[in-house]
Amino acid sequence: MGGGMTTVERTQVFLLPDLGEGLSEAEIVEWRVAVGDVVTVDQSVVEVETAKAVVDVPCPYAGRVVTLHGAAGEVRPVGQPLITIAPLDGGDEPAGHATYREEEQAGSGNVLIGYGTGHGGATRRRRRPRLTLAPDPADPARTDTDTAWTDTAPAGGAAPSGGTRAAAGGAPGTGDTSGHPARPTALVISPIVRRLARERGVDLNAVRGTGPGGVIRRADVEAALTVPAARLAAVPDAPVAPVPSGDDDVIIPLTGVRKAIADKLSRSRREIPEVTIWVDVDATGLLETRAAINAATPDAPVSILALLARICLSGLRRFPQLNARVDTEAQRIVQSAGVHLGIAAQTDRGLLVPVLRDAQRLTTAELAAELAATTAAARAGSLPPARLTGGTFTLNNYGVFGVDGSTPIINHPEAALLGVGRIVDKPWVVDGQLAVRKVAQLSLTFDHRVCDGGVAGGFLRHVADCVERPALLIAAV
């Protein structure tokens, strides 16, 4: 070969990269290619789920797939082989394609979809079409920010987009050579939908998608669960999921997001001496203020959570001790210059806390828009891992679950968390007279190492006063 490398010698092994924030492993959700397929530089080859998000992983090499290291559902450690690529024989290699990117030659690491070089050439393998989904007016993204406060989410949140993929059995990218008619391919964009179907035993090929272009939505899978058994039996090739008897234990592996949540909460409870204080508030004035704002600016409505976030930012400016963390190794308290506000959001993948960085720089309208877009992206699983870490203070609306109060666990390594209960009609004394008002409970859980009760009580009282008399918030801004 004139001194050149052999095909075996030139084989490139792509290792699972660090997907951000020092994550040590990822679970293979679905391979997007099969052995024998031709791939190009930066082509997405596999979808994996980390402890923080579901991401597409692009391959930095071009050539033919030789080996897929791991099957769907398998957990792979970072730095271990993920896929092996061999150069194409002779002139089959796409013209103009380097075997790998300059970034890889320089050892800069692997880049995720959306952050790559963006170049690519023709390939012998037909790419699956890509769909961009618009928000579905029949199924708007519900946010934890509004349910408990009889609120509506602001419009304008960007809908995530993703590639369609085959949900039928068999390796992706392989054709049916049996001569039998091919089964219809289910259009599934969301990994949440695919996982829900897998857990509930729903055959996606038997589900009719009601989303744009026939895309299957979560509501479609849930609707399929309510179809009578006789009707399901009439659907060709629709498997019936086995139903365990009442005597069988249900085994749920502690992996992925659930494992990350368990580890973080255990560490928080183990390391942080937390204290919870609470107060009931009359939120009637805050609801009236929100109504007045939205009447004046109908094109940029604000949510109750956005107003509560603004109030928290005001309180943290007065009491910066709570916008901090304890560095146990250096034996010091670090007060953050900016407020990186975490918003607890319940998703199908578990409890996530997306972060709005430097929230103190946002206007109230910008806060409302960011909150709506961020929580929607968190539920869609489209937030990168970096958006789920680095918070300095968390706002948690547990009233969405219909409860009045809670003693939540602090989101380690933060030092405080404000919880908001449901808002309900209750008797309240106003100017010496009994009246029916909109009442809610606020709770503050804080790390007793960063401050004493005076600071914590001062912060919570400031928040409560601003909720009851929003004019105080305007005076403090």
Side-chain angles (χ1 to χ4, degrees):
M1 297 183 62
M5 292 184 294
T6 65
T7 300
V8 174
E9 291 172 335
R10 293 173 58 196
T11 296
Q12 301 287 348
V13 179
F14 176 41
L15 308 181
L16 177 65
D18 183 348
L19 301 176
E21 301 295 330
L23 297 171
S24 61
E25 62 184 20
E27 177 185 343
I28 297 174
V29 176
E30 179 185 18
W31 284 104
R32 298 184 183 276
V33 296
V35 173
D37 285 352
V38 174
V39 297
T40 58
V41 173
D42 274 348
Q43 178 178 334
S44 175
V45 295
V46 66
E47 181 182 66
V48 300
E49 180 177 13
T50 71
K52 297 184 180 299
V54 176
V55 295
D56 283 320
V57 179
C59 179
Y61 310 126
R64 190 179 304 280
V65 178
V66 176
T67 308
L68 302 179
H69 300 277
E74 181 178 334
V75 175
R76 300 291 294 172
V78 168
Q80 293 299 308
L82 186 63
I83 187 172
T84 299
I85 305 294
L88 300 179
D89 297 332
D92 288 342
E93 186 167 358
H97 266 248
T99 305
Y100 48 87
R101 297 195 312 258
E102 293 180 2
E103 292 96 327
E104 295 303 322
Q105 296 181 28
S108 63
N110 305 289
V111 186
L112 301 184
I113 284 292
Y115 299 92
T117 59
H119 61 272
T123 172
R124 295 181 180 273
R125 177 173 176 266
R126 183 179 180 182
R127 285 181 176 270
R128 297 183 177 94
R130 306 284 293 183
L131 296 181
T132 300
L133 297 183
D136 185 353
D139 185 24
R142 179 183 63 82
T143 67
D144 292 346
T145 65
D146 301 321
T147 303
W149 294 84
T150 61
D151 201 0
T152 55
S161 63
T164 58
R165 60 184 67 94
T174 59
D176 183 2
T177 59
S178 63
H180 299 293
R183 296 179 62 185
T185 300
L187 295 180
V188 184
I189 298 294
S190 171
I192 296 174
V193 171
R194 187 172 55 258
R195 169 163 290 190
L196 177 64
R198 184 170 65 246
E199 292 176 348
R200 302 294 179 86
V202 175
D203 182 8
L204 289 171
N205 290 304
V207 177
R208 177 180 176 273
T210 60
V215 171
I216 296 175
R217 301 182 299 119
R218 182 173 63 180
D220 301 325
V221 175
E222 292 173 344
L225 294 173
T226 64
V227 177
R231 182 177 171 186
L232 283 177
V235 179
D237 300 325
V240 179
V243 179
S245 67
D247 297 331
D248 293 338
D249 294 337
V250 177
I251 307 301
I252 303 174
L254 196 59
T255 59
V257 174
R258 180 49 55 189
K259 181 178 184 296
I261 293 173
D263 291 344
K264 193 162 191 176
L265 294 181
S266 297
R267 182 178 182 183
S268 177
R269 185 52 62 89
R270 184 172 59 249
E271 294 184 5
I272 299 177
E274 60 189 22
V275 179
T276 300
I277 57 178
W278 57 90
V279 64
D280 290 339
V281 294
D282 177 4
T284 306
L286 190 66
L287 292 175
E288 292 173 349
T289 298
R290 174 190 175 270
I293 292 174
N294 289 345
T297 58
D299 294 335
V302 300
S303 62
I304 285 294
L305 194 78
L307 295 179
L308 286 169
R310 173 59 60 206
I311 292 173
C312 285
L313 294 171
S314 173
L316 292 174
R317 187 172 65 175
R318 286 194 174 194
F319 302 94
Q321 298 94 324
L322 294 171
N323 189 50
R325 60 182 174 85
V326 175
D327 185 347
T328 55
E329 293 185 1
Q331 288 295 295
R332 62 183 182 177
I333 297 173
V334 180
Q335 290 186 12
S336 300
V339 180
H340 306 316
L341 186 64
I343 303 296
Q346 188 67 42
T347 74
D348 288 342
R349 299 177 59 243
L351 180 64
L352 302 179
V353 186
V355 176
L356 277 64
R357 304 201 179 273
D358 291 314
Q360 79 281 357
R361 298 181 181 179
L362 302 177
T363 66
T364 303
E366 290 170 342
L367 275 173
E370 281 294 314
L371 287 170
T374 300
T375 52
R379 290 194 175 89
S382 59
L383 284 179
R387 287 293 310 278
L388 297 169
T389 57
T392 60
F393 184 91
T394 293
L395 179 58
N396 182 10
N397 178 21
Y398 46 71
V400 68
F401 304 115
V403 299
D404 296 322
S406 172
T407 56
I409 299 176
I410 294 175
N411 186 28
H412 185 278
E414 299 172 14
L417 178 152
L418 181 73
V420 183
R422 62 173 181 162
I423 185 167
V424 293
D425 291 338
K426 286 187 177 181
W428 196 264
V429 177
V430 180
D431 298 329
Q433 301 294 322
L434 194 62
V436 176
R437 306 288 284 183
K438 301 292 185 181
V439 178
Q441 184 183 99
L442 305 178
S443 65
L444 176 70
T445 300
F446 66 97
D447 186 339
H448 218 317
R449 296 174 298 177
V450 304
C451 69
D452 295 325
V455 170
F459 173 85
L460 184 58
R461 190 64 256 171
H462 174 77
V463 171
D465 290 343
C466 289
V467 168
E468 294 185 337
R469 293 178 290 168
L472 294 177
L473 175 63
I474 298 175
V477 173

